[in-house]
Amino acid sequence: MVLDYTGVGNIGPIYDALQKKQQGPMCMKAAEAVIAQVGERAGPVVIVTGFPEGGGVPETDGPVGAAFIARAIFLGLQRESVIVVDEDWRDMMYATCRGAGLTPLPLPESGIITPIPYLRPVYVATVPKDDAGCAKVCDFLLDTVDPSLLIAIERPGCNDRGLYHGLGGRPLDGLVADMDSFFHKGRRKGLVSIGIGDGGNELGMGMIADELRQLFPKARDTGVPARGGVAAQTATDILIVANVSNWGATGLVAALSCLLENQAVFHEAELEVRCIEACVANGGVDGMFMGPEPATDGIAAEEWRGLLHTFRMTIQRCLGFTVGWQGTMGDWRQSRA
């Protein structure tokens, strides 16, 4: 998760800072929480995502990972998810979910989700960017939909002045709805939350906000008067940091696959390529190239294919899906005298 594929150079110090606050394997810790909360609570998992680039266009990092987390939770735990994005990103999110092998559906007006036989559904809810409209939807999600767990992946987190920024200090005023308040209210209701981010300005990174301000100049000061720094102030209960947030989602999916001993939970590499392509074909852009290219933070979809294929093969070996020298399944080296 923390190899510096993009060459930005931030992930090492961010990971070290996290380990001082949250020790141990972060993806496994998050996967254990997912399994526990879904087991204890009856509601769907709510996943919040979407990060605006120029003109408010959403980037591929985040929505793709959200779709595969929803897929893993459905296949591994038979629990539906609700993915929440801003209203103007609805078509992008629907297409991204289809690319991930899910059938996107609007959240029922009743807020009650009932199982649909012979279908892999995911529900998509949208929020307006104005505070009052966003709060109305969020209250409906918390009080009526009644989720089992909250997850944020590559979602802007406000700083200690309540302002949102891109990693370089670009103001995001008017481009993104306030979902920080949703997580604060969720905590008061006793909901466990997981955050996934890669730069320090994402919702959930408040767990290490002080450390970020010490590490990176932009985290404490954007350079724009009276705006403060880009470091996100809202903390989640569990935090996953990765060189690319979608890669953090991959780690969570892999951990779920291992804990549940179900290789079907971890998707084929070709499916992620298709998902990225669907995202950019329907409004998403790569966060490095800033154009509708099939990539995530500058890593081309074909490169993701190789990474995912290697990861999936590793999981299969861990689960014993290898053929020994006598034709039996499992690693014969672990059982020999």
Side-chain angles (χ1 to χ4, degrees):
M1 298 304 100
V2 296
L3 293 178
D4 192 12
Y5 292 114
T6 60
V8 174
N10 289 355
I11 188 58
I14 290 174
Y15 178 74
D16 291 342
L18 176 60
Q19 283 298 304
K20 295 177 182 178
K21 292 290 186 71
Q22 176 189 283
Q23 296 180 353
M26 53 189 176
C27 294
M28 193 63 72
K29 183 179 182 69
E32 290 170 346
V34 171
I35 294 170
Q37 293 306 303
V38 169
E40 293 175 8
R41 294 176 175 264
V45 175
V46 171
I47 307 170
V48 179
T49 192
F51 203 110
E53 298 299 347
V57 176
E59 66 167 312
T60 54
D61 195 21
V64 171
F68 283 112
I69 292 172
R71 178 186 181 275
I73 290 172
F74 183 79
L75 291 181
L77 298 168
Q78 293 74 55
R79 183 64 57 85
E80 297 84 0
S81 294
V82 178
I83 298 179
V84 182
V85 295
D86 295 52
E87 285 180 337
D88 48 333
W89 302 338
R90 174 190 177 279
D91 292 347
M92 175 279 299
M93 198 66 242
Y94 266 64
T96 302
C97 289
R98 291 191 184 101
L102 300 172
T103 298
L105 300 170
L107 186 63
E109 292 184 3
S110 66
I112 299 173
I113 293 174
T114 56
I116 302 175
Y118 310 110
L119 191 70
R120 294 178 183 173
V122 62
Y123 294 85
V124 177
T126 61
V127 290
K129 297 187 191 298
D130 68 281
D131 289 345
C134 179
K136 183 178 180 180
V137 175
C138 290
D139 288 345
F140 174 75
L141 289 170
L142 288 172
D143 298 334
T144 305
V145 177
D146 194 17
S148 55
L149 175 73
L150 306 182
I151 300 176
I153 173 170
E154 192 64 16
R155 178 73 191 185
C158 67
N159 67 3
D160 54 1
R161 302 189 185 193
L163 301 174
Y164 294 92
H165 301 88
L167 190 58
R170 171 175 55 98
L172 301 181
D173 300 351
L175 298 180
V176 64
D178 170 21
M179 294 304 295
D180 288 72
S181 297
F182 175 64
F183 276 73
H184 292 311
K185 291 178 181 178
R187 172 165 287 181
R188 291 195 290 270
K189 285 178 65 71
L191 293 174
V192 171
S193 60
I194 298 170
I196 304 175
D198 57 24
N201 58 334
E202 300 90 359
L203 202 165
M205 287 284 195
M207 182 184 291
I208 53 172
D210 291 339
E211 290 78 7
L212 291 171
R213 283 188 279 267
Q214 294 174 10
L215 287 168
F216 308 115
K218 289 287 186 179
R220 57 181 178 268
D221 185 2
T222 63
V224 180
R227 292 197 65 93
V230 306
Q233 190 67 20
T234 299
T236 47
D237 296 304
I238 299 168
L239 181 61
I240 295 174
V241 298
N243 186 227
V244 178
S245 291
N246 282 350
W247 194 233
T250 302
L252 175 55
V253 170
L256 285 169
S257 181
C258 290
L259 286 174
L260 297 170
E261 298 185 354
N262 184 349
Q263 65 168 334
V265 169
F266 195 92
H267 52 284
E268 296 277 359
E270 288 72 19
L271 197 60
E272 182 140 346
V273 173
R274 188 181 83 166
C275 184
I276 295 171
E277 291 173 344
C279 183
V280 298
N282 289 272
V285 297
D286 173 71
M288 190 71 71
F289 301 130
M290 301 302 174
E293 300 193 25
T296 303
D297 277 0
I299 301 176
E302 284 302 312
E303 188 173 350
W304 280 109
R305 184 198 300 270
L307 292 168
L308 266 291
H309 181 72
T310 299
F311 211 157
R312 192 167 194 270
M313 293 301 100
T314 300
I315 291 171
Q316 287 187 348
R317 284 190 290 274
C318 289
L319 295 178
F321 289 93
T322 57
V323 179
W325 69 282
Q326 290 180 310
T328 55
M329 295 295 290
D331 188 347
W332 63 270
R333 294 169 297 179
Q334 302 301 321
S335 59
R336 62 181 175 176

